[in-house]
Structures are given as C-alpha cells and as structure tokens.
C-alpha cells in the first residue's frame, strides 16, 4: 500500500508517482478543517493545544508533531479502509499531505486569527477607547454593533456587520503570508539544493514515510510500519499527557511537573523555588527551570550535535555563568533578598538589564543581523536568481514555478502589503522599512528552521520600540508622539509592528513552506505539487480560521475564550503607552547594533573552523528561547553520548523511537482535548 521513496534496484521512473491526487487533496483539506477547529473552538474551551501554540507554550515552537500525527492518522485510516477497498497512498501523496499539514497544524490561521481579533478589539475596552481606540485605523476595526456582543458571548455572530472588516483582515494576512512564501520560493534552491540545510524538525516526518511499506497479501494490523520500536514509543508517547487529563477530574492526581506555575506547568521542573529556599538562595542568579516535555526532547534527537551544543551551552553561558559573574561584580542588578520572585524575573533581569545583554544582542538585533548577513553571504545566488527572470536555468522545470512567476508574486505581494501598511496610517517610508525588515526576519527564521529546527515565535524583542524611535529620528513624528500631529502615524507603526512581527511569526510562511519542500526532496515529490497544495492550504486556512475564531468568540465571549492568554486584549493600551514615552535607546541600541558585528564573525568562524561550535542561530535560541535551550542542553549529553558510544549505527536505532514519541504525543493531546471538550472541563494549567 505504502511505498518507500527510493528502493534499491528499482529505477527512479518506477518509483516516482503523482502526489497531488484527489485523495491527497481531500485528506489535506480534512486536516486543515479539523486542526483549525481544534485550535479555535476546542482550545478556547479547554486550553489544551494540539498544535504548537506560540504562547504560552513557546517551548513547542517549530515542532511538527501535530502534522506528523495527523498524517499518520490518515495513513492508519486509509490502511484500515484498504483492507477491503485496496486504497493506496504513495510516498509522494504523503509528502503532499505533510506539506499541507505543516501549514494547517501550526498556528498559521487559528492563533493568527485569535491574535488579530482580540488584540484589535481590545482597543474598544472602556479603559482604552479614549486612547488606543481613537487611533486605530478606521478600516481595521469592526462597527460597534458587531463588537459589543462579542465581550459577553452566547450570541450569534453579526456576520453582515463584520464582513467588510474580516475581509480586510484576511486579505492583509494573505499578503503577509504570500510575501514570505514567494520570498521562500526564490531562496528554495539556495537552502535546499545548494546548501542542503538539514531541516531537523522535518526529518521525523520523512522517517515516518520511509517506514511505510507495502502490506502483505493478507494485511495484518500495523504491517505498514515495520519498526517495533516505533510502536512501543507511540504507546509511551500516547501516555505522556494523560496524567494532566486525569488531573481535571482528580485534583490530587500527581503530574510530571514540580510546580504548578501558570502556563509553565506541563513538564516544567522548577528547581528555582520548589525545594524550600534552595533554588532561590543557593542559585539565585541561575535559570533553573527546565522544560523537558517529551515532544521537544524527541525532536531534539534529530538536531545536529553542534546546534544542541550552541543552544544548550550558550544557555549555560548566558544564564548561569555570565548572570552570576555580572550580579556579583556589580555589572548587573543583584538578586533581591531571598531571590527573584520567579524564574521569569530572573531571565528578564539578566537578559535585558546587565552590562552584557544576550537577549538584546542575539534576539532584538541578532535576528535582523542573521537575516542580513545570510543574504550577504548568498549574494551570488541572489544575483543569479534575478538573472533567471530573463535567462532561466536549464533545470527550471524542477522548480515549483518559473522564476519570472516567483518574482512577480513576490513583488506583487510586497507592493500590496506595503500599501496595506501605508493605508493603516504608517508613513510610506516607514512602512517600506518595515517590509524589508520583515523579509530579513523571515529569512533569519528560515535559517533557524533549516539549521536547528525551531521557528522564532516573536520576531525580536523591542522591535516596536525600535520602530517608534526610528520614526522619531527620521522626523516622521516627534518623541513623545502623544498629543502631536504625528500620534496617529506613531501608533499605527507600533501597532502594526506588534501585529505582523509578533506571535504570528510562529506561523512563518517561508520556513514552513520550505520545510514542506525539504520533505518533497526526500520523497521524490514534485515541487509543483507541493506548491499547489500549499497555496490552496494557505488561502483555505486563513478563511476558515477567522470564521471559526469569530464564531467561537461570539459563543464563549472574549474573556472566557481568553482564559489561557488574557493579556493580548490589553496590548493596544501598551502600544499607546509606547508612543507616550521616550525610549532609553542608549541602554539598548549598542547591544542591538553589536549583533551586526558579532554575527558575521561567528558565521565566519563556523564556516572556516569545523571545531568552532558556537553558531549564532544556536545562541539566538539560547538567549531568547530558554524553554527550548534547557531541553537542548540535556539532549546534547544524550546525543553526544550515543554517537560516541555506538556511532551512527546506534543513533539510527533511536530514530523510529523518537518519531514514535512525536506521533504518540499528538494522540495523547487529541485524547486530552476531546475528553476536556466533551465534558466541559478545563485543562489544569
């Protein structure tokens, strides 16, 4: 039934089969509808995420376990049906389905829609209506008759009144998505064919497809996946979140976490304050919260050892060694008596307030610098990609679409998205700067996905502040801007920066799209088939996610639906606060600027000295995504030990086990979410 992409002794012509079939399209559409329903109606009721929600579960960012799990579930259903109907799915069809599921199962639409609606409508709260509310772009805010009922819930959506605004939201996000997507198509040959970046988080899906094989003449259960280790690991993975489900009904039931701490409970081992005053008094300047959830650990098994080293030991350097040295030498604030209030306060203090500020360097400045210098080192390829418009390469037929079409799509999306930003009240020059900086972040996140696996979920700390400060320097508005003729432009700039550079970056169109093309390269799936299914999926997901999100909000009311993330509806007030103040640029700009020097030096060392393992992308993860870095530090010891003891042969034996855990985790969360939704219970966060 299932065939491997390459078999010894079989010619390529015999193996390659069409991937974009009616079956593949139908399954892709079904996954899109199902996952977005789970990410809106079910998540808003239960707070159980089956997808990698960017906040508060940022330690899941970039994981493909949802896409993998749903593709495997599709394989299982088709196999069961095939016992009588002899249905078949080829590796190419599975490659197409996975390329679509990558987009469907990330918060591509569900969280983007929720973020947009609640963030925007928050400006109409009584406390904000006279400040942020009056500065919101007129076409971006629904009429009052459609807004008032959404706060209370229990009513039907005012679709007629909402329709114009919802259409604007969908179009704006589609332009944002296709800007990144076409930019990714242009760079596809560079990152996949030339550099052959590993895309570690996409590798488990390829392993799953490789394990699929033709069943015996008389099919028996599970015969289409040949590894026993996979099935054992799948069962273990399925059990991982069941304790949290039981906890809903039995509050005293033990769970695998050392402290119930808001959103950071699941598999969080909080040594900071769980052992009396040991964590706060003995290690007050060290980040001692470890997020060892099974899916992050299993996915890290596929990451390069040097990237685990950079992220893991970079974390130890920043938040154990440097934080302690700075605190006790007076270069950073000393810990208060008895330790900080919590681990997050410790992290922000030593990431943003010491003399050495790793988060500002490697996140706020580093993400832009990584994108910029990666493009500089690729200048010959970009030159050639421009030349391909008039003189296509001989093998252009292997590309998803002709280069001329890629550039037309890219430039068209760029111009239209720039027009949307300008229409929101952002000065034309500032909106153009924002578009090009967005391209840098898109490419930087693609490098992160391609080299390390994760995807950044918040594009640079302080970006909205930096854009506000930059507009003042350019004379586009005075600083502070409140009460001046420039306050509308300043507010629109800050608001749009948070909107389009914020949590929705976790639905990174370029990185996710190219991950699908990477799987296509492994499974001999046509790039054109992947392109068609991903374009269909992008359009479909944004439409259904806004419909589902608005329907869910009207049914539940904003406050009930936001029980797991209430702060988002107040952020327009923070935006207004930004344009009231003067940013202390002298405290932050030097470290953001330093990244533009440090990053190329690190890149040069990595390219020329194989023994130099500190990669700027790994340090970006270490500085900002500490929840990931703690798991990566642990997994560095595991993978390094496996390779030292048994080499690649022992490592290969662990591959199906890691893949099985990832699939099992999806099953576990599906069971958890369905039980919570059907019983009306809420997850024990």
């Amino acid at each position: 039934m299932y065939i491997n992409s390459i078999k010894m002794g079989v010619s390529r012509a015999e193996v390659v089969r069409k991937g974009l079939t009616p079956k593949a399209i139908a399954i892709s559409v079904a996954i899109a509808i199902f996952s977005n329903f789970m990410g809106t109606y079910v998540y808003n009721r239960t707070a159980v995420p089956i997808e990698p929600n960017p906040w508060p579960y940022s330690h899941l960012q970039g994981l493909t376990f949802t896409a993998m799990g749903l593709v495997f579930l599709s394989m299982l259903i088709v196999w069961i049906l095939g016992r009588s109907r002899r249905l078949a799915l080829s590796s190419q069809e599975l490659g197409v389905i996975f390329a679509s599921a990558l987009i469907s199962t990330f918060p591509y639409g569900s969280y983007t829609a929720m973020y947009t609606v609640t963030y925007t409508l928050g400006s109409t709260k009584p406390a904000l209506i006279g400040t942020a509310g009056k500065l919101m772009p007129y076409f971006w805010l629904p009429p009052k008759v459609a807004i008032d009922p959404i706060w209370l819930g229990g009513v039907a959506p005012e679709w007629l009144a909402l329709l114009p605004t919802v259409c604007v939201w969908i179009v704006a996000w589609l332009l944002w998505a296709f800007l990144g997507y076409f930019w990714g198509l242009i760079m596809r040959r560079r990152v996949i064919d030339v550099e052959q970046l590993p895309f570690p988080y996409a590798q488990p899906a390829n392993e799953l497809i490789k394990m699929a094989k033709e069943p015996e003449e008389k099919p028996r259960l599970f015969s289409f996946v040949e590894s026993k280790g996979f099935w054992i690991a799948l069962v273990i993975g399925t059990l991982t979140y069941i304790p949290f489900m039981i906890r809903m009904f039995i509050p005293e039931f033990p769970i695998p976490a050392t402290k119930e701490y808001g959103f950071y409970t699941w598999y969080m081992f909080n040594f900071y304050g769980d052992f009396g005053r040991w964590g706060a008094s003995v290690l007050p300047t060290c980040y001692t919260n470890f997020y060892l959830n099974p899916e992050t650990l299993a996915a890290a098994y596929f990451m390069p050892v040097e990237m685990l080293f950079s992220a893991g030991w970079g974390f130890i350097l920043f938040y154990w060694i440097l934080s302690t040295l700075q605190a006790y030498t007076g270069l950073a604030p000393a810990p208060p008596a008895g330790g900080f209030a919590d681990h997050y306060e410790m992290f922000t203090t030593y990431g943003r307030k010491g003399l050495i500020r790793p988060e500002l360097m490697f996140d706020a400045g580093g993400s832009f610098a990584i994108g910029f210098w990666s493009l500089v080192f690729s200048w010959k390829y970009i030159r050639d990609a421009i030349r391909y418009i008039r003189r296509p390469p001989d093998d252009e037929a292997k590309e998803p679409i002709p280069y001329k079409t890629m550039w037309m799509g890219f430039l068209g999306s760029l111009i239209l998205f720039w027009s949307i930003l300008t229409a929101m009240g952002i000065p034309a020059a500032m909106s153009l700067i924002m578009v090009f900086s967005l391209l840098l972040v898109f490419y930087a996140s693609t490098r992160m996905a391609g080299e390390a696996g994760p995807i950044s979920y918040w594009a640079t700390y302080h970006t909205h502040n930096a854009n506000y400060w930059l507009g003042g320097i350019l004379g586009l508005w005075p600083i502070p801007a409140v009460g001046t003729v420039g306050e509308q432009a300043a507010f629109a700039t800050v608001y749009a920066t948070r909107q389009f550079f914020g949590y929705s970056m976790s639905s990174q169109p370029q990185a996710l799209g190219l991950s699908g093309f990477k799987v296509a390269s492994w499974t001999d799936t046509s790039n054109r088939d992947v392109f068609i299914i991903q374009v269909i999926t992008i359009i479909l997901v944004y439409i259904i996610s806004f419909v589902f999100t608005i329907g869910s909000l009207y049914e539940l009311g904003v406050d009930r639906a936001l029980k797991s993330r209430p702060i988002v509806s107040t952020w327009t007030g923070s935006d207004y606060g930004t344009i009231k103040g003067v940013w202390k640029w002298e405290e932050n700009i030097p470290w953001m600027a330093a990244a533009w020097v440090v990053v190329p030096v690190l890149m040069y060392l990595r390219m020329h000295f194989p023994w130099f393992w500190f990669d700027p992308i790994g340090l970006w993860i270490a500085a900002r995504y500490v929840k990931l870095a703690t798991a990566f530090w642990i997994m560095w010891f595991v993978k390094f030990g496996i390779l030292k003891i048994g080499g690649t042969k022992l490592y290969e034996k662990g591959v199906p086990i890691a893949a099985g855990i990832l699939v099992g985790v999806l099953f576990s969360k599906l069971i958890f979410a369905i039980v919570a939704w059907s019983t009306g219970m809420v997850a024990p966060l």
Side-chain angles (χ1 to χ4, degrees), residues 18 39 81 90 145 163-164 191 215 327 362 389 463 474 484 562 577 581 583 605 657:
K18 184 174 177 59
L81 295 175
S90 68
V145 66
L163 186 61
V191 300
F362 287 102
I389 298 174
T463 304
L474 295 175
T484 70
L562 289 183
W583 193 36
L605 292 173
I657 295 173

Side-chain angles (χ1 to χ4, degrees), residues 373-623:
W373 287 109
S374 296
L375 291 173
V376 168
F377 288 128
S378 306
W379 71 270
K380 290 184 179 179
Y381 172 80
I382 296 173
R383 178 200 62 191
D384 291 341
I386 295 173
R387 290 177 176 174
Y388 291 158
I389 298 174
R390 298 189 64 182
R391 296 181 179 178
D394 294 337
D395 60 349
E396 188 182 51
K398 295 181 180 179
E399 294 295 330
I401 52 177
Y403 275 93
K404 182 180 293 186
T405 308
M406 291 182 203
W407 282 102
M408 289 175 61
F410 171 71
L411 293 175
S413 301
L414 188 152
I415 293 170
L416 291 173
F417 185 67
W418 170 76
S419 301
I420 287 280
L421 294 179
T422 305
M424 294 178 74
I426 303 171
M430 190 69 221
S431 59
L432 193 61
I433 292 172
M434 290 173 64
V435 169
F436 281 104
S437 62
L438 188 62
L439 295 177
L440 294 181
V441 177
F442 278 160
Y443 193 57
S445 194
T446 294
R447 301 297 305 189
M448 181 187 285
E451 296 184 40
I455 298 174
S456 64
Y457 79 98
W458 179 275
T460 75
Y461 179 72
H462 274 323
T463 304
H464 57 291
N465 288 294
N467 282 345
Y468 168 61
W469 172 80
L470 179 59
I473 294 296
L474 295 175
L476 301 176
W477 50 74
I479 296 180
V482 167
T484 70
V485 294
E487 70 172 351
Q488 176 72 54
F491 178 85
T493 299
V494 173
Y495 170 80
T497 301
R498 273 208 214 239
Q499 186 73 263
F500 294 110
F501 286 75
Y503 287 130
S504 296
M505 286 299 291
S506 58
S507 59
Q508 231 280 12
Q510 186 177 107
L512 291 174
L514 290 178
S515 296
F517 284 108
K518 184 65 178 181
V519 173
S521 72
W522 288 323
T523 59
D524 287 324
T525 303
S526 162
N527 285 326
R528 182 154 299 185
D529 287 352
V530 170
F531 167 76
I532 293 172
I533 196 63
Q534 287 189 334
V535 168
I536 292 172
T537 306
I538 289 171
I539 296 171
L540 174 65
V541 162
Y542 275 120
I543 293 173
I544 62 176
S545 63
F546 271 96
V547 171
F548 284 174
T549 295
I550 291 170
S552 175
L553 289 175
Y554 270 92
E555 177 187 337
L556 299 173
V558 171
D559 290 332
R560 184 182 174 194
L562 289 183
K563 56 184 170 292
S564 60
R565 48 197 165 184
I567 192 173
V568 176
S569 63
T570 67
W571 277 0
T572 50
S574 176
D575 296 341
Y576 188 77
T578 297
I579 69 171
K580 286 173 63 177
V582 178
W583 193 36
K584 297 180 180 179
W585 65 272
E586 69 279 2
E587 296 183 2
N588 300 293
I589 289 297
W591 285 105
M592 295 174 68
W596 292 78
V597 177
V598 173
V599 164
V601 171
L602 291 173
M603 285 182 170
Y604 179 84
L605 292 173
R606 284 283 295 130
M607 286 188 290
H608 291 84
F609 301 99
W611 52 264
F612 187 81
W613 274 11
F614 277 113
D615 189 284
I617 290 176
L619 295 178
W620 181 11
I621 295 171

Side-chain angles (χ1 to χ4, degrees), residues 34-335:
F34 175 77
S35 61
N36 277 271
F37 179 81
M38 298 295 291
T40 52
Y41 278 96
V42 176
Y43 179 65
N44 288 340
R45 280 183 174 273
T46 68
V48 182
I50 70 159
E51 60 185 20
N53 195 319
W55 187 84
Y57 307 104
S58 56
H59 50 293
L60 305 183
Q61 263 329 100
L63 287 175
T64 60
F65 73 91
T66 311
M68 274 186 64
L70 291 179
V71 170
F72 177 79
L73 187 60
S74 303
M75 293 167 60
L76 185 60
I77 292 171
V78 170
W79 181 86
I80 293 171
L81 295 175
R83 290 168 65 88
S84 57
R85 302 180 188 179
R86 306 303 302 167
L87 296 178
L89 282 175
S90 68
S91 296
Q92 291 71 41
E93 288 173 310
L94 291 172
V96 164
I97 294 168
F98 181 75
S100 171
L102 273 174
I103 293 171
S104 299
T105 60
F106 269 74
Y108 210 90
S110 58
Y111 193 85
T112 296
M114 175 64 77
Y115 184 50
T116 301
V117 175
T118 54
Y119 182 20
T120 301
L121 297 189
S123 65
T124 66
K125 287 187 172 183
L128 301 176
I129 190 67
T131 54
K134 70 177 183 180
L135 296 176
M136 286 293 294
Y138 72 93
F139 64 87
W140 199 257
L141 198 62
K144 191 174 185 299
V145 66
I147 295 174
D148 290 345
I150 206 170
W151 293 104
L152 299 176
V155 295
E158 298 282 349
W159 287 116
L160 190 60
L162 283 168
L163 186 61
T165 307
V166 172
C167 287
V168 169
W169 288 338
I170 292 173
V171 168
W173 278 111
L174 283 174
L175 291 172
W176 177 87
F178 281 120
L179 173 64
Y181 188 74
F182 280 109
W183 179 218
L185 291 182
I186 293 170
M187 300 304 295
R188 188 208 66 81
R189 181 183 292 237
R190 169 72 184 185
V191 300
I192 293 178
D193 296 343
V194 178
E195 293 188 70
Q196 297 184 359
L197 297 186
F199 284 85
Y201 276 14
Q203 289 178 20
N206 179 53
E207 296 298 330
L208 180 64
I209 294 172
K210 284 201 305 182
M211 282 188 287
K213 66 175 185 179
E214 287 281 351
E216 300 171 1
E217 187 174 339
K218 294 182 179 180
R220 57 187 175 82
L221 189 60
F222 304 151
S223 64
F224 62 90
V225 174
E226 58 190 9
S227 170
K228 293 181 181 179
F230 171 85
W231 291 107
I232 295 172
L234 185 147
V235 172
I236 294 173
T238 303
L239 297 174
T240 52
Y241 285 92
I242 300 303
F244 297 97
M245 181 186 73
I246 298 174
R247 188 66 171 269
M248 292 190 302
F249 304 98
I250 307 174
E252 297 79 17
F253 192 82
I255 56 176
T258 58
K259 186 175 182 180
E260 294 188 64
Y261 198 83
F263 303 113
Y264 310 103
T265 299
W266 295 9
Y267 283 98
M268 183 195 78
F269 298 93
N270 178 15
F271 300 105
Y272 190 90
D274 282 344
F275 299 93
R277 303 301 297 172
W278 179 83
S281 59
V282 178
L283 298 172
T285 59
C286 298
Y287 190 92
T288 53
N289 283 56
F290 288 80
Y291 299 82
L292 305 181
N293 58 309
E295 56 269 45
T296 301
L297 295 172
Y301 190 78
F302 297 91
M303 290 176 61
V305 176
E306 60 270 24
M307 198 59 69
L308 292 172
F309 176 90
S310 295
W313 285 103
F315 152 72
I316 294 296
L317 173 65
F318 294 152
Y319 298 114
W320 282 60
I321 298 173
L322 287 180
S323 59
T324 302
L325 290 176
Q326 289 191 89
Y328 289 107
T329 56
L331 299 179

